[in-house]
Amino acid sequence: MLIDILFWALAVVAVASGVTVFVVDSMARATYALAVSFIAVGIMLVIVGLEYIGIITILMMVMEMAIMAVYMVMYMGMNPALMPMDMTHSKRWSAVLAVGTFVLLAAGALLIPWPARVGEPAADLTASLGEAIMGPNMLAMLTISPVLFATIIAGLVIANPRGRYDRWGDDLKRRTPNDPMRGGLGR
Amino acid sequence: MGLTSVLARWASKRVHVLIIEVPGWGASRMLLEAELDRRGWAVALSPADADLLAVCGMPGEELRAACDFVWNQLPGPRARVNVTGSGSLSTLLNEASAHLGDDSAQREDARSRSQNTVAEDSAPDAGEHDGMAPEEMDHGSMDHGMDHGEMDMPMPGGIPLAEGGDDRDGLEMDFLTVPFGPVMPHWPAGLVVDCVLQGDVVVSAQARVLEAVSAPTEVSTEEMTYLVEARLRIIRLCDHASQLLALAGWQTAAQNARRLRDDARWSADIAEHVAPLDRLRRRVERSVLLRWSLKGISLGGISVGRPVGGTDALAEAGAATPADQAGVAIRDRLIGWLHEAAALAATSSDTRSPAAGDLDRAREARDLLGALPALLRGTELGTARLLIAGLGLDTAALAPAHERTHD
Amino acid sequence: MTEPIVQVSPAWAVLTPFLLMLLALTAAGLNGALVARTAGRPLRSGLAAPLGEVARLLRQRRQVTVAADVVLWRIGAAGLVVVAILKILVIPLGPWTLADLDVGVVWFNTMDVMTWALFWLIGWGANSAYALVGGYRFLSLAVSYELPLMFALIAPAVAARSLQVGDVVAAQQDLWFVIWMPVAFVIFCGSVIAFSSWGPFATGAGRDIAGGFLADVSGVDRLLILAGRYAVLTAGAAFAVPVFLGGGGGPLLPEWLWTIVKTFLVLAVFVAIRHRVPTIRPDRFAEVAWIIVLPAALLQVLVVAIIVVGS
C-alpha cells in the first residue's frame, strides 16, 4: 500500500517536473527540473526491483544535467537565464502528437491482454533482465559500446577545426604545440 | 540570553577582517596582518566573508567611495576600523571586537540599513547597488547604458544584458565588464584593472591606480631609524612572494613568507634570516606541482629590471625555454625574489646606501602599469591574477608625492 | 575474523548524522590546528577554531545579491550535508549498517555525483562573476576525475564479485584490498578530495577569484556549505575503510572502534594534504587525468580481473 502511494507520488513528481522544464523562465531551472524528473524515474525503477538500473539512471542523469546546464547557458544566445522565454515551437502540432502518443501507449498498456505471471521472479532481477533483453547477442552488445565511444571520439576529432598542422607547424617539427591554452602535459 | 552571549564570545575569537590597503600604507597593512595572525583571526576573501572592515591608511576620494561601497556589502554583525598607525592596533581591534559582540548596537545598525534600502528602492536606478558582485565598484557605465533610452531591452534586476561577440575560438560569447577592483585578496593596493571578460578569458584590460590622501609620515619615524633600504626591500620582496604563493594556491608557503616578512621587520640582525629565506626558496624550487602549475606563464617581453643576484637564474631560464616568449617566467620571478631577499640579508650591513631613488621606482611602476593591458590580453582569469602578482607592482611609488619624507 | 555485516533498524538513522558531523568537526579542528601552527600559534588554539567559526556564522546575516537565483542557491547550499548523510547510509560501522544495499558501491558513486550539481548551483545562484567562475572550475575538474573514480570503485567490486559493501568487506578477510590495488586506492583518495572541493582540488573556492563560489555566501548558507564540504570529505574517508581497508578488521579493539579509528586516520591524511600541496589547475589537470590516470585505473582493473578469474 505504501509502495503504491510512493509510486504514484513519484509518477506525479516526474510528470510535473517534466512540465516545469517548459514553464520556467530560467535555463538553469529548466535543466534541474529535468534532473528532478529523472531522479523520480530512477527511484521508481528502484521500487520496481531494478536497483542497479535505477541508481545508475540517477547517477548518469545528474551528471548529464550538470554538463547540460553548462551547454544550455552557453548556447542559448542572448537570453541565457533570467528572462521570460518560450522554448516551445509549433505548439499545436506538438500537442496533437504528444496527446496522440500518450493515448496510444496508454491504450496499449490497458487494453492488451498481458499474459498471467508464470512462476516467480528471478532472484537477481538485473541479471535476468539483461539476459532476457540481450540473450544470445551478449557479445555483440559488449562490442557495440566501445565502438560507439570510438565513433564519438572520432567525430569530435574530425570536427575539430584545428588539426595537427595547426598545432605542430607545417613540418610537424615545432617543439611545443601552438595552443591557445597550454595543456597539462605539453603534448 | 545565555546562548547568544556564548555564541558572541566564541565568535569574537574568530573575526574575519577584510583589509583595504591604501597605496603607500603597506606598513600598516603588514602590521595588521601580523596582529591578525597573532590573535587567530582570519583575513576575509570577500565582503560576504567579513565581520570587520579595516581600511589601512587615508584613502582619496575614489578609494573612499569604494570603501563605503564595500562597507555596505558586509552582512551584519559588522564593524569598521581605520588603521593609520596612530593609536595602538591592539586596542582598535579589541574595541571593534566588543562592538561586534554588542547585540543592541548591531540590531540598530541592521534596522537603519533596512530603512536605507527601502528608501533606495523608491529610486529606480539605485536598486542595482544592493550587493552586486563584491568587487564591482564602478557603475557609471551601467547607469549610462540605462539612460540610453533602450528601455525595451530586457533588464533582469535592473542590469542590462551583456552583448555578445566572437571569442578566440570563433564561438559567440558575451562580453562582461568586470573591474578587478581595489578590494581583492592578494591584490596591489589601490589598483583597479577594468577587464572585459568572455567566459573567464580577459579580452581587454585598462589599469589605473586610486590615490591616497596622504602618505604615512610621522607614523614611521620611530621605525625609520633602523629600517633602512635593504630591510625595506627584503620586506617588500617577501610580501610579493607571499602574495604570489597564495595566488598559486600554496597557503602554507605563503604564510611562511609572511612570517619571514614580519620577522625581518622586527629582528635586530637581519643576517639571521638568510637561512630561513634560503629554506623557503629551496622548498619552492623543489615543488614539482608548483613548477607544473606555473609552467608557461611568463611576463612576455616586459623588462622588469634585473634583480640583484638573480641573474644566473634568469639566464638559465632564458636558455631553457626558447620556445616560450622571451620574458621572465613567473616561477623564476618568484625564486628570484626569494634569492634576492636572501642575498640582501646576507650581504647588507645596516648602512647600505639606497640603490634606487623614488624617481626610478615611480618610473618602473609606471612602465609596468602601462604594460599591463597588453600582458593580460587573452589570458585566463587565474593566469591574469598570477601575472599581476608576478609584476611586483609597487603602487605606492605611483602616488604623487604629497608629503613624502626622503629616505 | 570480522563478523558478517548485519542491517540494523532504521531508528539508528537518527544518530548517524551526529556521528558524521562529529567526525567532520574533528577534521575541521585538525585543519584549524595546522593553520595555527603555520601562523606560529600553538596547536591548541587552532583546535577550537571551528567552534568559533560556527558561532560567527550562526550570528551572521545572509548576503543578498541582485537577481540571485534564490531557489537554486539554497538547494545547492543545503544539499551538501544531505548528500553526505545519504552517503553514509551504506557505510558499515563495524558490523552494523543502516542499509546494506545490493548496489552499495554504486550508491556511493551516485551520491558524490550530486556534488557536480550542487557546487555548480552554488556558483550559479549568486549571480556574481567570481562565483560563476568558481562553479565552472569545479565542473571542469569533475569531468577529469569522475571516470578514474568510477574505475577505481569497480576494482574492489570485481575482486569481491559483488556491488554490496558487506560482500566487499567479507572479501577482505585474508588481505586488505589496499595492498594489492594501491593504484585504485590512491585514485579513490584523490577523487574524494576532489569531489569535496578540498585542498589541492579547491580551485573552485580559490583565493585568486575572491573565494570562488564562497565569495557571496554568508551566514547559514556559508555554514552549510563549509560543513557540507567537511561532511562529504568525512563520508569519503569513511567509505575508504570498508572498501579498501578491511572494514572493522583488526586486533584488540572492537570493530566499530576500528572503523572510527581508520576513518580518522584517512581523514587526517586528507586534511594534512591541503597544507602540503599547492592547488592544481583544472585546465592543466585535464590532460593528466585522461592520459595518465585513467589508463592507470583501467590497468588496475585489468590486473584485478585477471587475478580474480585466475583464482
Side-chain angles (χ1 to χ4, degrees):
Chain A
M1 185 56 202
L2 194 60
I3 297 285
D4 290 345
I5 296 177
L6 191 58
F7 185 88
W8 281 106
L10 285 169
V12 167
V13 165
V15 174
S17 46
V19 170
T20 314
V21 172
F22 294 96
V23 166
V24 289
D25 290 340
S26 156
M27 289 315 302
R29 290 193 187 186
T31 312
Y32 283 99
L34 193 55
V36 167
S37 176
F38 278 125
I39 291 177
V41 169
I43 300 178
M44 276 162 47
L45 284 173
V46 170
I47 289 178
V48 169
L50 296 170
E51 282 183 358
Y52 179 74
I53 295 181
I55 292 184
I56 282 286
T57 302
I58 298 176
L59 190 160
M60 287 292 136
M61 286 307 140
V62 169
M63 226 193 303
E64 261 185 47
M65 290 306 122
I67 300 288
M68 197 169 86
V70 173
Y71 278 96
M72 279 235 193
V73 172
M74 193 157 80
Y75 285 125
M76 285 299 289
M78 197 199 83
N79 181 11
L82 301 167
M83 296 310 295
M85 62 184 181
D86 196 0
M87 276 208 293
T88 53
H89 314 280
S90 357
K91 292 197 206 358
R92 206 164 45 121
W93 279 113
S94 41
V96 164
L97 205 58
V99 169
T101 314
F102 177 75
V103 165
L104 194 65
L105 291 174
L110 291 174
L111 297 177
I112 291 179
W114 300 106
R117 164 171 277 169
V118 176
E120 286 193 350
D124 189 351
L125 276 179
T126 310
S128 69
L129 181 66
E131 279 175 14
I133 293 180
M134 294 190 275
N137 305 320
M138 191 79 75
L139 187 60
M141 295 291 175
L142 281 176
T143 30
I144 279 181
S145 97
V147 168
L148 280 175
F149 189 56
T151 316
I152 294 174
I153 302 281
L156 279 174
V157 169
I158 293 176
N160 194 353
R162 286 168 55 84
R164 283 184 304 162
Y165 297 101
D166 294 308
R167 296 182 77 219
W168 297 100
D170 284 336
D171 50 1
L172 294 179
K173 285 241 187 335
R174 204 178 283 160
R175 267 191 52 198
T176 49
N178 179 23
D179 285 325
M181 270 182 71
R182 191 195 175 92
L185 293 178
R187 288 171 44 255
Chain B
M1 281 196 298
L3 185 60
T4 345
S5 60
V6 163
L7 281 181
R9 205 161 23 97
W10 281 359
S12 68
K13 298 212 177 62
R14 292 282 301 180
V15 175
H16 284 216
V17 182
L18 185 64
I19 303 179
I20 302 183
E21 181 191 344
V22 181
W25 294 79
S28 304
R29 186 217 359 130
M30 296 185 204
L31 284 171
L32 178 63
E33 280 179 349
E35 178 67 21
L36 294 182
D37 278 344
R38 198 186 60 80
R39 286 170 175 247
W41 291 7
V43 174
L45 294 177
S46 66
D49 184 21
D51 304 315
L52 176 59
L53 180 67
V55 182
C56 292
M58 293 163 45
E61 210 177 291
E62 268 191 280
L63 196 48
R64 200 176 326 121
C67 295
D68 291 334
F69 191 71
V70 169
W71 170 242
N72 249 342
Q73 289 180 351
L74 259 63
R78 55 180 189 162
R80 183 172 183 172
V81 293
N82 212 331
V83 179
T84 46
S86 56
S88 153
L89 195 53
S90 198
T91 37
L92 260 182
L93 293 179
N94 285 339
E95 278 168 15
S97 171
H99 183 68
L100 282 173
D102 183 0
D103 279 341
S104 53
Q106 293 297 336
R107 278 201 205 103
E108 192 50 48
D109 177 46
R111 211 170 302 136
S112 63
R113 280 173 89 181
S114 59
Q115 283 166 357
N116 275 348
T117 48
V118 164
E120 273 180 33
D121 273 344
S122 53
D125 59 340
E128 64 192 76
H129 282 270
D130 308 357
M132 263 184 68
E135 283 70 40
E136 295 193 25
M137 63 150 274
D138 186 15
H139 288 278
S141 51
M142 293 210 185
D143 281 331
H144 291 209
M146 282 180 68
D147 292 338
H148 246 176
E150 297 203 80
M151 277 311 183
D152 45 313
M153 288 279 289
M155 284 192 297
I159 309 167
L161 287 181
E163 298 294 315
D166 279 341
D167 80 337
R168 66 181 176 191
D169 295 323
L171 302 171
E172 187 186 318
M173 280 194 81
D174 289 341
F175 289 109
L176 189 66
T177 311
V178 177
F180 290 174
V183 184
M184 278 232 281
H186 310 295
W187 184 252
L191 179 68
V192 177
V193 181
D194 298 298
C195 289
V196 174
L197 295 179
Q198 269 188 319
D200 67 346
V201 174
V202 176
V203 170
S204 73
Q206 297 283 343
R208 58 196 163 99
V209 176
L210 303 181
E211 289 176 0
V213 151
S214 68
T217 53
E218 316 83 37
V219 147
S220 356
T221 36
E222 328 83 84
E223 305 167 19
M224 279 307 210
T225 49
Y226 68 94
L227 278 182
V228 290
E229 192 69 21
R231 200 181 277 252
L232 281 176
R233 180 123 179 100
I234 292 177
I235 290 173
R236 195 158 46 232
L237 286 170
C238 285
D239 192 41
H240 287 321
S242 147
Q243 312 273 43
L244 189 54
L245 282 167
L247 286 172
W250 202 354
Q251 262 302 95
T252 321
Q255 185 76 21
N256 213 341
R258 245 166 62 173
R259 272 178 71 189
L260 286 174
R261 171 197 82 188
D262 294 330
D263 290 341
R265 178 177 289 277
W266 294 115
S267 73
D269 175 23
I270 53 174
E272 68 190 24
H273 290 297
V274 180
L277 280 167
D278 264 336
R279 261 204 307 271
L280 179 60
R281 180 182 56 86
R282 273 200 303 274
R283 201 168 153 206
V284 168
E285 274 177 347
R286 269 201 315 254
S287 165
V288 173
L289 266 176
L290 191 68
R291 185 204 304 255
W292 177 57
S293 284
L294 295 181
K295 198 189 258 194
I297 304 178
S298 70
L299 300 166
I302 297 181
S303 72
V304 288
R306 295 184 318 113
V308 173
T311 37
D312 10 346
L314 275 183
E316 281 171 16
T321 59
D324 286 330
Q325 294 169 312
V328 182
I330 288 285
R331 181 174 169 268
D332 298 319
R333 187 113 162 100
L334 174 65
I335 294 174
W337 281 337
L338 293 171
H339 199 113
E340 184 187 347
L344 276 176
T347 64
S348 78
S349 56
D350 272 348
T351 55
R352 190 182 152 104
S353 56
D358 280 348
L359 255 65
D360 279 341
R361 273 208 294 267
R363 192 172 40 82
E364 183 186 337
R366 248 196 310 277
D367 287 342
L368 290 177
L369 200 65
L372 203 55
L375 183 63
L376 293 185
R377 196 165 301 137
T379 55
E380 171 255 330
L381 200 52
T383 314
R385 286 299 307 268
L386 284 170
L387 285 172
I388 294 176
L391 281 178
L393 207 52
D394 183 14
T395 48
L398 283 169
H402 285 292
E403 300 151 44
R404 249 174 208 286
T405 54
H406 290 285
D407 297 338
Chain C
M1 293 298 271
T2 54
E3 299 167 27
I5 302 289
V6 66
Q7 202 160 318
V8 297
S9 79
W12 285 99
V14 176
L15 283 184
T16 28
F18 289 105
L19 183 58
L20 175 70
M21 296 319 287
L22 193 64
L23 275 173
L25 193 64
T26 49
L30 183 61
N31 183 48
L34 288 173
V35 167
R37 195 179 62 155
T38 10
R41 291 197 309 274
L43 280 178
R44 219 165 356 106
S45 65
L47 278 176
L51 294 175
E53 291 285 341
V54 169
R56 184 187 84 91
L57 289 172
L58 283 175
R59 283 165 53 85
Q60 202 180 33
R61 296 169 75 194
R62 258 187 178 147
Q63 179 79 309
V64 173
T65 51
V66 175
D69 198 336
V70 177
V71 171
L72 295 185
W73 205 8
R74 305 285 181 245
I75 290 176
L80 281 171
V81 182
V82 171
V83 155
I85 293 176
L86 284 174
K87 264 197 233 208
I88 59 169
L89 290 181
V90 296
I91 301 178
L93 179 71
W96 311 302
T97 183
L98 281 170
D100 200 14
L101 299 176
D102 281 339
V103 289
V105 173
V106 185
W107 171 263
F108 179 81
N109 206 355
T110 308
M111 288 305 120
D112 70 62
V113 164
M114 298 291 177
T115 57
W116 285 40
L118 293 172
F119 280 118
W120 188 84
L121 287 174
I122 296 171
W124 170 263
N127 192 25
S128 142
Y130 296 119
L132 195 62
V133 169
Y136 276 87
R137 277 187 182 181
F138 178 80
L139 269 187
S140 64
L141 205 55
V143 166
S144 306
Y145 76 68
E146 188 62 33
L147 270 181
L149 171 64
M150 287 183 165
F151 284 112
L153 283 176
I154 284 177
V158 165
R161 301 169 193 258
S162 159
L163 288 171
Q164 207 170 348
V165 178
D167 292 345
V168 175
V169 172
Q172 295 181 69
Q173 296 275 5
D174 309 319
L175 192 59
W176 290 359
F177 284 165
V178 66
I179 298 181
W180 57 288
M181 337 179 167
V183 174
F185 181 63
V186 167
I187 292 176
F188 175 79
C189 290
S191 305
V192 168
I193 298 176
F195 68 60
S196 324
S197 188
W198 177 256
F201 293 105
T203 42
R207 301 181 85 91
D208 54 346
I209 43 174
F213 54 72
L214 290 174
D216 277 302
V217 277
S218 74
V220 167
D221 300 322
R222 199 185 184 95
L223 179 60
L224 284 174
I225 294 174
L226 293 176
R229 256 171 50 159
Y230 277 112
V232 170
L233 191 70
T234 310
F239 194 67
V241 170
V243 167
F244 287 104
L245 293 176
L252 294 179
L253 296 172
E255 285 183 29
W256 60 270
L257 194 55
W258 262 124
T259 314
I260 293 183
V261 164
K262 289 183 199 175
T263 304
F264 186 71
L265 286 175
V266 176
L267 196 54
V269 170
F270 286 172
V271 170
I273 281 181
R274 180 198 204 188
H275 295 267
R276 304 285 310 174
V277 172
T279 316
I280 291 178
R281 302 176 54 160
D283 49 328
R284 305 268 165 116
F285 183 62
E287 253 189 345
V288 171
W290 285 90
I291 293 175
I292 297 183
V293 180
L294 183 59
L298 285 171
L299 279 175
Q300 172 75 86
V301 175
L302 178 66
V303 163
V304 168
I306 290 176
I307 293 178
V308 164
V309 167
S311 69

